[in-house]
Each structure stands twice: as structure tokens, then as C-alpha cells.
Amino acid sequence: MKKRRHAKILELVNSKEIETQEELQLQLLKSGYEVTQATISRDIKELRLVKELSDRGRYIYSTGKKATADAIKRTGGIFADSILRVEHAQNTVCIKCFPGMAMAVCTAIESMEWSGVVGAISGDDTIFVLCKTVDFAKIFTMNMEKILNAKNS
């Protein structure tokens, strides 16, 4: 139950601007998780969530470092032109690329300093990204898909 709740918290923090523990508690309740404020406080500590300034000038919960808009502009093109698919298995993310493109994509990923990423290694058309936890792998995969979808739309 705790792992599912943590995954839901990470999903909420990545998809909504949540400013307070009370807002997080309400969002969890809407998702079927009835938890106390003390539990939310512990979850925030265990997930190492931080507060950061949003684009709208509000302090919101976050997983930590995010790729900057400038870094996404610089690397989004290489991602869109090179990546075929992104999947995670446990705490490892597998990125399939067109032949010969994995090294460039891997270099771009490492330059972005993703929170929760331990390191990445590439071959000719495949990259393995090692994340600290399963939850960080899910977040990384979601963020990569967002970048790919933004460039393709």
C-alpha cells in the first residue's frame, strides 16, 4: 500500500502544482488514499520532496532538479529525432533509439542532471539509465515522454 501511495504522490507532484500538505492530502483522498497529515509528512520526507518556485511564482512540491527549459530546447530536438521508445523496468529505464543515435542522446541526458539518475550507458541504439529507485525511474520515463510529446505536437 505504501509503495502505491508513494507512486501516486509522485504522479500528483509531477502533474499538479501542489503547494501544501493539505492539498496533497485532498488529492490523495480523491484518488482513494485516506491518510493523515502525519503520514503525508513522513511520505514527503521519505520521497525527499522539496519546495521549488513554479513558473507561476508559487512554491510547490517537487522531486528536485528538473530539466530547465533551455536544456529541453537544446536536447528536445535530438530526443525527438532519435528516440523510438522509452520504458522502465524496476529502477532501470531502457531507451531505444535509431541506429547510431544512442551516444548523442545519452550525452544529452547526462548533461541535464536529472534528479534520481545515477548514470547512463549507451550502445549503438540502446541506452540504459540507472535510477536510484523505481519511483525515480517512473518519473524519468514520464518526463522523457512529456519532452517527446511536446516536440511531436
Side-chain angles (χ1 to χ4, degrees), residues 44-60:
I44 288 170
K45 184 176 181 180
E46 289 174 16
L47 292 170
R48 295 188 176 125
L49 297 180
V50 295
K51 287 262 189 139
E52 71 177 25
L53 191 61
S54 74
D55 295 335
R56 298 182 351 174
R58 298 169 37 186
Y59 283 95
I60 59 171

Side-chain angles (χ1 to χ4, degrees), residues 88-112:
H88 71 87
Q90 298 298 326
N91 66 321
T92 303
V93 179
C94 179
I95 301 172
K96 294 298 286 181
C97 300
F98 288 106
M101 299 304 296
M103 182 69 74
V105 173
C106 188
T107 301
I109 288 169
E110 290 187 331
S111 75
M112 295 175 79

Side-chain angles (χ1 to χ4, degrees), residues 1-10 28 33 35 39 42-47 135 138:
M1 183 69 162
K2 182 177 179 179
K3 285 186 179 192
R4 281 187 274 153
R5 186 178 69 246
H6 278 190
K8 188 61 173 178
I9 289 170
L10 292 170
L28 284 169
Y33 295 91
V35 293
T39 299
R42 279 191 300 274
D43 288 345
I44 288 170
K45 184 176 181 180
E46 289 174 16
L47 292 170
D135 292 329
K138 289 177 185 176

